[in-house]
Amino acid sequence: LPLNEISGYLKFPTPLFKPQYSIIVHVTKGHIEAVVGFHQFQADSASVLLMLSNRIIAREFLSDDLEGFAIIIEDSAFSQLLSAQQLLRIFETKPHALLSSAVNDIVAKLNGILADEYRSMKPNGDFTCAVTQAVLVKILEHSQYANGISRTEEIAFSFKQLAYQYCQEEHNTSFYSRKLNVSDGYLNKCVKSVFQKSAKEVWRDIVIQ
């Protein structure tokens, strides 16, 4: 969806909320301020905000000259777009990414094609998946984790992803270590190495938020 077409319908500031879908915002002009997880970001021209489902987010400000695109993705579609580790790399590592001029132009063209297809009377699902995948891969290619993440980071990021999903129901970190097929001690070691907090402390912070 082109941002200049929908920004008039988007109110700000919003209270914190927890969407059940993922949102990719690509800003080509103006800027947007938003809370993603525990941090506030300002996305200016040639940058993207990546908001995975079940994360706590809020819109703080939208500039009057805002242009770009918003891609809304249902969780069920992700298995067709990226591998599990690619998803961790693109969403869990850094929600705000700056794009070079060349990459920004490519992503904008792809998003324009995606918007045109969405407007058509009979959008082609395979085509839209392919173009969306190209957008995500291009963003990932130029991220700080383009060359992959370590096993320690994978465990820590996966734990955080699960904690957002299950924190209301599952209060024991043993549940998360079983889901990840690791010991409680190894889970805690990985989480502390990446986030400088224990698994229980990260879980508690998410619950409080």
Side-chain angles (χ1 to χ4, degrees), residues 62-135:
L62 308 173
S63 66
D64 292 336
D65 60 344
L66 184 64
E67 292 183 9
F69 300 90
I71 304 177
I72 299 170
I73 306 175
E74 297 286 348
D75 284 351
S76 58
F78 269 126
S79 61
Q80 303 174 54
L81 299 173
L82 295 175
S83 69
Q85 196 188 63
Q86 284 176 316
L87 286 173
L88 288 177
R89 282 158 57 195
I90 196 169
F91 281 104
E92 298 295 343
T93 53
K94 193 175 181 182
H96 178 226
L98 298 174
L99 305 177
S100 68
S101 177
V103 173
N104 182 64
D105 290 345
I106 292 170
V107 172
K109 287 175 182 176
L110 290 170
N111 280 330
I113 291 169
L114 199 57
D116 288 342
E117 183 68 16
Y118 178 76
R119 290 190 191 98
S120 69
M121 295 297 291
K122 293 183 179 180
N124 184 302
D126 291 337
F127 180 77
T128 54
C129 276
V131 178
T132 305
Q133 183 181 48
V135 170

Side-chain angles (χ1 to χ4, degrees), residues 24-86:
I24 301 167
V25 179
H26 174 215
V27 179
T28 58
K29 184 180 178 183
H31 72 275
I32 179 172
E33 296 174 18
V35 173
V36 183
F38 298 103
H39 305 286
Q40 183 166 341
F41 297 95
Q42 177 172 311
D44 298 305
S45 177
S47 66
V48 291
L49 271 177
L50 307 164
M51 295 169 269
L52 195 60
S53 66
N54 293 308
R55 295 304 181 270
I56 306 299
I57 66 173
R59 286 189 298 272
E60 296 287 309
F61 179 78
L62 308 173
S63 66
D64 292 336
D65 60 344
L66 184 64
E67 292 183 9
F69 300 90
I71 304 177
I72 299 170
I73 306 175
E74 297 286 348
D75 284 351
S76 58
F78 269 126
S79 61
Q80 303 174 54
L81 299 173
L82 295 175
S83 69
Q85 196 188 63
Q86 284 176 316

Side-chain angles (χ1 to χ4, degrees), residues 125-158:
D126 291 337
F127 180 77
T128 54
C129 276
V131 178
T132 305
Q133 183 181 48
V135 170
L136 293 171
V137 168
K138 207 65 187 174
I139 293 170
L140 180 60
E141 183 183 318
H142 294 269
S143 77
Q144 66 182 110
Y145 287 90
N147 296 321
I149 56 179
S150 67
R151 174 63 174 164
T152 296
E153 290 169 327
E154 183 179 357
I155 292 295
F157 293 143
S158 296

Side-chain angles (χ1 to χ4, degrees), residues 38 163 167-168 170-171 201-209:
F38 298 103
C167 65
Q168 299 294 335
E170 300 294 341
H171 302 176
E201 287 172 326
V202 171
W203 171 87
R204 183 197 60 202
D205 289 346
I206 290 171
V207 170
I208 290 171
Q209 190 187 35

